[in-house]
Structure formats: C-alpha cells, structure tokens
Amino acid sequence: MGVYPCHGEVVGFQHSTREMETDEGTTVSLKRIHHAIVQMPNSAECQPVKCALLVNAAGAWSSKVAEMIGIGNGPEGTLQGTKLPVEPRKRYVYVFHSPDGPGLDCPMLIDYTGAYFRREGLGGNYVGGLSPAEEEEPDSSNLEVNYEYFHEQIWPKLAQRVPAFQSLKLKSAWAGYYDYNTFDQNAVIGFHQLVTNMVFATGFSGHGLQQSPAVGRAVAELILDGRFKTLDLSAFDFIRFYKGTKLLENNIV
C-alpha cells in the first residue's frame, strides 16, 4: 500500500442515498460517498476518484466541501439543515528584530491581552501576532498584510510586557487563514451522522499545528478501529452544532 498525491480541487461527489424512518416517524436520508470529483489544475478535465471513506480536512474551505454533499442544505433546525460552521479568517504573523530581547531560554509567551511572541532562531529575531476583536476582522478575500495593525495594536502590548521590545524593528510579515469555527472556536473531529463515510478533521481555529499529532492518531483509530482508543475526542463531534452544545475555552489566541 502507498499514497498517490493527487493535486487538484474537489468540485463534487457521486453518492448514493437511502432513507430510514425514526421512531417518531420522521424520514431521514443517509448518504454514502462513492467518488470525489477532482478537477485537475490548469485543465477543464475532471476525474472521479473512488473512495470507501473521505476525510474532510480542507481547512478554511471544509464547509464548502461539506456543502457539496448537502450538509446544511436541509430544513432549518434539523440535523440535515445544520451547517459546518467553519470559515476562513485572515491572521497576520510578524517577524521583528530586538537584539536586547529575551534569550534562548525564552518560551513562547502569550500575554493576557492575547498578543504573543516566540523566538525565531538566533540573532534576536522573533515572530508574534494578535487575533483581532470580532468587530475588527480583516477582509479574508486576500492575503495582504496590514502593517499598521502591528504598530497600533501589537507593538504597544509587547513593549508593555517586554521593555526591550520598545526599540524593536519590524522586518517582515505574512498572512494566512485560520479554519475558524464560528460556533465555539474548537475542532470538529469524527463522522458526520448523515453522510456515513465522511470524517471531519477541521475547525481548529489556530490550534491545528499543536493538535495535529493527536488528531491524526485519533482519526486513524476511528477509521481502522471504528472508535477512539488513545484519547476520547467524542466531545468534538459534529452533533454538538445541532444540539447547541458549545465546547468553549477560557482564552483563544
């Protein structure tokens, strides 16, 4: 066995549907995906890719993938009508230099204001950032960097925490996307209840790199063994969106 990396964009699915009736007499449609339709880059050609199971790890665009199979397209207030609440949110990471800043024994520091920084190699280089308030969310249609955001919102907070940063020099920056869970800013992990062979691994809201080893193992266990074994991550199930049960943390960076 091996892996064939196929570089393309999923544009749809081929699936079958069967109907079941609940104890209350409600008809429920269960879907099973048989092929993912993949459009190849720089081509109008689409190829069906056969699959027994599909992991939706499309990050900021995982909600778009879920909609392709009808997730969230049912009546409001039903499981069929419950959307995957994940959307792209733009975040900036800034690189700055401070020769008199904290040394090699400095850990990643998260200030109570939400501003954070860590060392970036040697030579007094650091990276840092700050998630904006809800009402200050930047336009996510592009990846342009707002440098004024660093000077006006981040630098004063960092200098208050580390006086040596009062004389820092901003060197560069980049922007990227969070796969932001608008419901409770936590991951979505596990099978969808109505699309029986779609597994979610998304919605990490900035925690993805930290949590990826555990999530990878958990999803592998779910696929191979049919259940979580090492860590019980059932609290991150999709069903919580339908039930309205939020899985909240005290502080989100």
Side-chain angles (χ1 to χ4, degrees):
M1 295 180 65
V3 174
Y4 176 74
C6 177
H7 299 283
E9 180 182 356
V10 174
V11 295
F13 299 104
Q14 294 175 354
H15 68 278
S16 59
T17 303
R18 62 188 177 94
E19 293 187 344
M20 295 182 62
E21 191 172 289
T22 66
D23 294 338
E24 294 78 21
T26 304
T27 301
V28 176
S29 297
L30 299 178
K31 296 179 180 179
R32 183 172 184 83
I33 299 169
H34 300 288
H35 294 86
I37 309 303
V38 179
Q39 183 170 10
M40 308 310 292
N42 304 315
S43 171
E45 179 186 6
C46 291
Q47 293 286 347
V49 178
K50 188 175 182 180
C51 60
L53 186 145
L54 187 139
V55 178
N56 186 344
W61 295 272
S62 54
S63 181
K64 178 181 176 181
V65 173
E67 290 176 358
M68 293 177 189
I69 192 62
I71 293 174
N73 293 341
E76 188 175 349
T78 67
L79 180 57
Q80 295 154 304
T82 302
K83 296 180 180 295
L84 177 64
V86 176
E87 66 182 32
R89 293 283 181 97
K90 183 164 72 172
R91 294 292 181 264
Y92 310 118
V93 179
Y94 299 90
V95 181
F96 56 92
H97 181 252
S98 178
D100 299 320
L104 291 175
D105 58 348
C106 178
M108 179 176 181
L109 186 146
I110 304 173
D111 188 65
Y112 72 91
T113 60
Y116 70 88
F117 75 90
R118 65 167 175 81
R119 286 191 65 93
E120 178 69 0
L122 304 174
N125 295 314
Y126 303 83
V127 296
L130 171 70
S131 291
E134 188 74 22
E135 63 275 10
E136 297 177 343
E137 281 290 343
D139 177 14
S140 61
S141 65
N142 61 70
L143 288 177
E144 295 177 0
V145 174
N146 182 347
Y147 290 93
E148 289 303 312
Y149 183 70
F150 178 84
H151 292 291
E152 296 174 2
Q153 298 292 335
I154 301 175
W155 191 358
K157 296 177 175 63
L158 294 179
Q160 177 69 27
R161 176 58 57 184
V162 181
F165 285 166
Q166 293 177 7
S167 59
L168 66 77
K169 300 295 182 182
L170 182 62
K171 296 177 64 179
S172 62
W174 73 88
Y177 291 115
Y178 275 5
D179 51 339
Y180 192 83
N181 175 352
T182 60
F183 181 75
D184 59 12
Q185 295 81 59
N186 255 314
V188 191
I189 304 169
F191 282 97
H192 189 271
Q193 286 71 28
L194 300 180
V195 183
T196 59
N197 62 337
M198 175 177 279
V199 180
F200 292 115
T202 185
F204 298 100
S205 306
H207 305 150
L209 182 62
Q210 302 166 28
Q211 298 175 351
S212 58
V215 171
R217 180 165 188 161
V219 170
E221 291 174 352
L222 199 59
I223 292 170
L224 295 174
D225 303 310
R227 62 184 179 89
F228 298 121
K229 295 176 68 177
T230 306
L231 293 171
D232 182 5
L233 301 185
S234 56
F236 296 95
D237 197 276
F238 180 94
I239 197 69
R240 76 183 192 269
F241 306 135
Y242 170 63
K243 294 180 176 178
T245 306
K246 292 188 176 183
L247 197 63
L248 295 172
E249 294 186 33
N250 290 328
N251 189 31
I252 303 293
V253 177

